[in-house]
């Protein structure tokens, strides 16, 4: 099966997030410990190293470089690994060389990006290694940390996952609450099909077989099976495949965990979307060590 | 012992973060699913509910309100719980009433704040429930998600933890890399004591007893014991208490986990700082349900 | 056939554009003519009136209100017409009442939004009145004025048109230059189908029948016929309908004008996209008159 | 007579507008078509070409360069024409060379600036070619697109026109509504002359001969004849020249079109200001073609 | 003679400056002293009082109100004096009532605006009280604190002074360095007169009588006599009045002090511009006292 | 005694302030005098020179360079002096070489930073030259110009002074109004000691000996003696030294002037904080001269 190809984040896409993170850490007087303790002419070499016993997936190496550049253009950054690489404990991912105070001022902000993004990439890759055996795509959701969606969705791709819609603006996904407010699936689907930009498929969330029938009857392009049991899901997949001759995509969603993902795969869906890969991935451990 | 008192975040402190989160979710055409499927005159009532089996600590209820207000001033928000409250599964925390499309446009962004902040508060409270038996403060670190430090540190306080320095600008903490670049602890401490704003105590990280002696000899106000074993830590505490007559605060740090925290408490330190309470807290589960 | 339903722009979506427009007009000393000539206690009533002999379609009335509110909350704005209404010459669209200097400071910025957006709505409606006879949708393109895309696409909807993708991020449209860089239609289509978020249809631009065959063979979801003659287009439509059993949408594009649109309609396409409705619509004439 | 000299816009003056235009086009996932279809190592050459049968006036070539630089510093931009140059159909104005995906991501935003600004320059030059025979200056107004005034006024200069005041802050122009609110021309003129920064001339709009007399009697530095017939205007010019010995400048304004401009010129005014050169200029046609 | 009329700064004109000032004071954890020491339900009354022995001129009272509103809308602000009022020592200018912590968080930022702006207004008024006896206007220059020009120029008006051009964009002032770069006064004046927006007068700085002759010969609208002695200035005024029949305005500039201003007045110029009223005015003393 | 070491402001820390200052000066049409009078190919050399009879302390030379770079990267800036250097009248501090119009557009903004910051550095150095004889530190306060605190506190350090807390967020200073709202010194101190981040010392302002006793009894880390007479201050110092064995720092504050500072020094305090060094320092005189 196809695997997601990792696409580099360009500097102009992330610069504002980086600046805000630095402002957050350096507000007021800036890095006073370095200012007060380190001679201004002092230069250092340092390297960043993986400290995760079981290894991790690298994500954020370019952003790390942007952070150092933003603080001081004189810092030389040598990249030894690429985003998406699997790392073993004690693998060195980059070296930096330059004014000591600048390296220290950038250190924590750079590592904060790295540990967060690599944590997501590594957690995602665990889901992918299971689902890919069944030729099923794992995608993210919109359950991301406020302001960090671009980075978190990029990390999902680095871990081998695929991206679902980015926000409310680039996909039509009719969920339970919309169905209530719209007065039923038929109403909602008809309105969306008539008015949405024509390049968008229309997706509907269903919880029951009655809803499923209504979704199929009104030509949903994608059906999301929400919080169904494995048995129900298998049955739903069978119905959809028969009635739509394969024209309708099937997505499973709702409380997917590392423990439950294989059972869902066995139901034969096309896509599994998992909120936990972005909202609950533990950080990966890295540190910057001076030589 | 004193417990941290939870201080409300004012709207002007968080408004920019909220706006960015909404922009992220609503860029381009905005919430097209709601726009296309829901009649503009439709109004709804909904409530947010805890879905965490083992319960959680609430954090982010005011921010949730700000999110709804930012989207549409006509949405009425009724707050049923306060930040810092312990929640059981299925506890209702607020009700919202207003234009259906506005509620749906705000839903995910509001829940993203809530699940992330409550997750941190709940995870912190587990450390606090242990350490408070020993009269020891649990504090956060600077290992936070880029751009979200204010919210994450607030969540730590909601979970009963205390805040360490906010950034590089409001505390002097001389770490291993500073010591290398400054040419030793004595140099670094002397320079910092001479030049730092006089309201700041000077903290030094030590890894060995030789470093500890140098830190004490040069009148560090706070000593951070980094990655020491329980035995070493107990010994270090004894030395510091004797030599400084209690004038010097003792902080334990480095890879603190829920498993290791009680052993550290037994060493008699004053403060335990734990990066994991902000960088690896799993999200708490909440959902918004229409009535 | 369905017609596009006009969806209101919320204040928070346009506030930044409004503030920038006001800053542009009021930089430095602000509105010095009003400051120097009008007593600060002076209040006035005024109304905005259509001055377009042949009539126009109203677009921008809410934004006009936001402009006055932004300048001075004391200005009372009475809305007499809705966005999307057809206007005759001398129709009054709103009344404002409040401090004279505030009304005058807001006047030109408010009218600049109004004349530009109504101009686009009116120009669009001319295309729509032709195409709707053939049950064909008229859509916009990305040929908009920098920074004003949201407003211009909203104006297209007010004129009865439909919206194509908003930007490069919410639709996959493989154009001639992509085909060159990707090494052919097959390559490009396969890659896009494998990697794009699953809710997006994949559209391909074709200029020849050979390209059309390749697009169909590789299961393009939408085909854009670019700059074809009416004969070629009719032939292409026939081929697509036969080979795809109606599964593939057909869009006509390239130099569409008010003169050529009916001939294109007769070819039987589903959608006609026209850059000129946003990039070359003449302004509509309005003025604000004091009573 | 003197002609307006075209002054280059510096990068720092337009960078924010460019960034916003790019954000508008690239929000969310960025340029997904290029990301998914084009190999990251692919490089291309392309050229931008005029596709306007009757030719146009170039405006925006430097901004085009800034757009490509903003996206990717590796793109090499070769400028073949200057702003203000007259272009024939199929004239090539620049070549770009660099990563294919970067060129494609920048293409539409760059062309949107170019087509809009060149359209204004070309339309302005038609007015100038008539008025310059009479030694009369053509100026713009404040009837510009919100947020784009700087670029549109620059385009007017590229078309040979002159700039009127930029905003409400750098000129005193007492219009009909001010006169009402101030209680007459005499009041308004006296107040403005007493209080305005001394480097500003005071301009008054008059619609009748009674108003003209009052304006002259109160020593207006500039009189704007608003919406007068050619006969009235000729008479007004005669009166002003006689009574003020040439000290008072005369500006004609109000509904000036390409059809009416020569008749106004014959009345002997000094300046003709025309809103349509910015608010209703049709876009010029350019395209970017890959080699 | 006319005196400058004080025009209120609207909230939207100063909001960004206020927010930045508050961010500067409240970055990171916010007002920790108030957060930690004051019960959240505590409310207080306080008043702001002049503590300037010799009195001062009030400037900034509205901005003070905006600062309190920005921090907390529940704070009630009662304004007892107006901008431009002369204050005696111990005069109370306003009362505030509301949450104690909010009042304390806003206090210093509010007072910083007040002390700075009132200081400028009071210092300006000393120059005005001398010059107004001679019917001569005192104006400011562009020698203002970066980012605060709008407030400082407003303060000058509150002190009875007049405003010169705001920036480089709303006045043409040909200074010594321009003359060098342009190749002489004649060149510079001709170019400026041909190209500048027609509502702007052209001003030239002259240091010698030769330069003065060239300025007059080329019809400068305003002549600035720079750093001349009183004798030279008197002579220059005589020459200008004779040769231009009063059509040319005369401005004196260059190192004007409170000591030298009366001698300059006696030379008969129209305008005296003084950099020191903005760049070197000492702050006025105010304090906020709790009742 | 130690003297403050001057720490360079990095470009990213001040860039936003510089851009705002330039926007303020160049809004609208930009530098029209240079645009209209100076040929675009003209280049010039210029130097900046001190024009302060009694000399000054240089502060702002790097910022000056950033201003020129921001306007035009082609301008070559040669730095001849460093921040913190004492300057004599007519000392040349830098040379610039490049496009004449760019140099002129940057001139005033660059000089405004320079004159303001050097004025503060020079004024501070007068206090320092007195206090350093007594081994007493002179510090600034939060009485700074809104938006310019970072620059003003940097200037204080360049003049040999020390920095007090930056804002409300990096120091706990319990002042008279807090004491009122908290219900006394004991309450306030206990709460602050329990809750403040542990790296912050707690400072209390006292006006009477009763307050002093309460502050000492509750273990204030720093006592600020506010507006006491020299006799009272000497007495207070004696009490504090005796009762706290030197553990408590002593700061004198309140209306400190160049006239009163030596008397305060004689009282034996550790620190003198003076608002006037930032709020009332007169500007230093510099000019840019073309060669």
């Amino acid at each position: 099966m196809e695997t997601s190809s990792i696409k580099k984040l360009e500097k102009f896409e992330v610069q504002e997030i980086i600046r805000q993170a630095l402002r957050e850490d350096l507000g007021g007087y800036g890095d006073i410990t370095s200012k007060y303790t380190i001679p201004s002419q002092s230069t250092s070499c340092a390297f960043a190293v993986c400290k995760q016993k079981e290894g991790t997936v690298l994500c954020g190496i370019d952003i790390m470089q942007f952070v150092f550049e933003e603080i001081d253009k004189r810092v030389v950054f040598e990249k030894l690994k690429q985003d998406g690489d699997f790392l073993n404990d004690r693998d060195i991912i980059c070296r930096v060389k330059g004014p000591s105070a600048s390296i220290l001022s950038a250190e924590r902000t750079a590592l904060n990006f790295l540990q967060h993004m690599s944590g997501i990439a590594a957690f995602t890759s665990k889901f992918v290694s299971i689902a890919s055996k069944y030729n099923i795509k794992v995608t993210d959701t919109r359950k991301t940390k406020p302001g960090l969606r671009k980075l978190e969705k990029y990390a999902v791709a680095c871990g081998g996952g695929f991206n679902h819609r980015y926000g409310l603006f680039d996909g039509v996904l009719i969920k339970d609450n919309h169905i209530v407010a719209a007065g039923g699936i038929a109403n909602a689907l008809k309105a969306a099909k008539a008015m949405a930009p024509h390049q968008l498929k229309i997706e509907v969330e269903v919880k029951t077989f009655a809803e499923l029938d209504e979704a199929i009857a009104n030509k949903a392009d994608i059906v999301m099976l929400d919080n169904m049991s494995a048995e129900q899901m298998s049955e739903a997949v069978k119905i959809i495949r028969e009635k739509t001759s394969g024209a309708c995509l099937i997505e499973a969603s709702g409380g997917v965990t590392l423990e439950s993902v294989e059972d869902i795969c066995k139901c034969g869906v096309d896509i599994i979307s998992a909120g936990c890969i972005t909202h609950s991935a533990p950080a990966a451990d890295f540190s910057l060590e001076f030589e």
Side-chain angles (χ1 to χ4, degrees), chain A:
Chain A
M1 94 168 290
E2 288 289 337
T3 59
S4 159
S5 110
I6 303 159
K7 295 298 169 181
K8 216 180 137 194
L9 286 169
E10 296 299 330
K11 195 170 186 176
F12 78 89
E13 295 184 277
V14 295
Q15 195 154 25
E16 202 36 56
I17 297 175
I18 289 173
R19 285 187 180 157
Q20 238 166 289
L22 286 171
R23 249 180 258 137
E24 188 180 65
D25 207 30
L26 292 164
Y29 287 125
D31 177 6
I32 53 180
T33 307
S34 300
K35 279 191 182 175
Y36 297 143
T37 65
I38 297 175
S40 60
Q41 73 285 5
S42 162
T43 59
S44 300
C45 295
F47 56 90
V49 61
C50 174
K51 290 173 63 183
Q52 201 74 26
K53 282 284 174 313
E54 71 282 15
T56 191
V57 175
L58 179 61
C59 184
I61 187 74
D62 294 315
I63 291 183
M64 209 178 167
Q65 176 168 3
F66 300 156
V67 171
F68 282 101
E69 283 175 12
E70 187 72 27
I71 285 284
D72 190 338
K73 290 206 181 303
R74 290 167 301 172
V75 174
V76 177
F77 187 96
E78 188 193 357
K79 189 159 83 167
L80 303 174
K81 299 279 179 182
Q82 299 287 339
D83 279 356
D85 286 355
F86 184 82
L87 300 180
N88 291 302
D89 190 23
R90 298 302 306 170
D91 276 355
I92 294 177
I93 59 166
C94 63
R95 285 179 198 282
V96 292
K97 190 171 176 174
S100 308
S102 299
I103 293 173
L104 287 161
S105 299
E107 175 186 358
R108 175 53 35 217
T109 300
L111 292 175
N112 281 351
F113 279 107
L114 194 69
Q115 70 184 16
H116 181 55
M117 294 168 75
S118 297
I120 290 174
F123 198 49
T124 300
S125 74
K126 294 183 182 171
F127 287 78
V128 170
S129 69
I130 295 168
S132 62
K133 293 182 295 183
Y134 299 84
N135 256 7
I136 294 174
K137 290 184 177 182
V138 174
T139 75
D140 49 36
T141 65
R142 285 166 46 245
K143 296 186 173 179
T144 55
K145 252 73 77 212
L148 298 172
R149 185 168 289 170
K150 193 180 297 233
L151 304 185
E152 298 192 347
K153 293 208 154 214
Y154 170 73
V156 166
C158 288
F162 286 79
N163 295 137
H164 206 301
R165 63 175 174 167
Y166 189 90
L168 290 166
F169 53 87
D170 64 340
V172 178
L173 171 39
I174 302 169
K175 307 190 80 170
D176 49 0
N177 289 335
H178 297 99
I179 294 169
V180 173
I185 286 180
N187 276 356
L189 259 174
K190 271 178 209 155
K193 293 216 125 193
M195 294 194 290
H198 60 271
Q199 83 279 5
L200 297 179
K201 295 180 187 164
I202 310 298
E203 180 165 6
V204 186
E205 180 187 276
V206 303
K207 293 176 189 305
T208 67
F209 287 92
E211 288 183 340
L212 179 58
D213 286 345
E214 200 175 348
I216 293 173
N218 286 283
K219 298 205 182 348
D221 298 308
I222 314 169
V223 165
M224 175 192 279
L225 306 175
D226 185 51
N227 274 310
M228 286 188 172
S229 69
E231 292 70 33
Q232 292 173 308
M233 228 183 275
S234 296
E235 174 68 11
V237 169
K238 215 175 108 192
I239 294 172
I240 300 168
R241 297 293 186 221
E242 281 176 15
K243 294 206 181 161
T244 73
S245 323
C248 178
L249 283 172
I250 309 174
E251 176 179 342
S253 191
V256 178
T257 64
L258 207 43
E259 289 66 41
S260 68
V261 70
E262 185 136 21
D263 284 346
I264 300 172
C265 287
K266 290 178 181 160
C267 300
V269 299
D270 299 305
I271 295 144
I272 298 174
S273 57
C276 65
I277 59 176
T278 50
H279 70 53
S280 292
D285 199 4
F286 290 92
S287 76
L288 190 79
E289 305 187 359
F290 271 50
E291 293 178 279

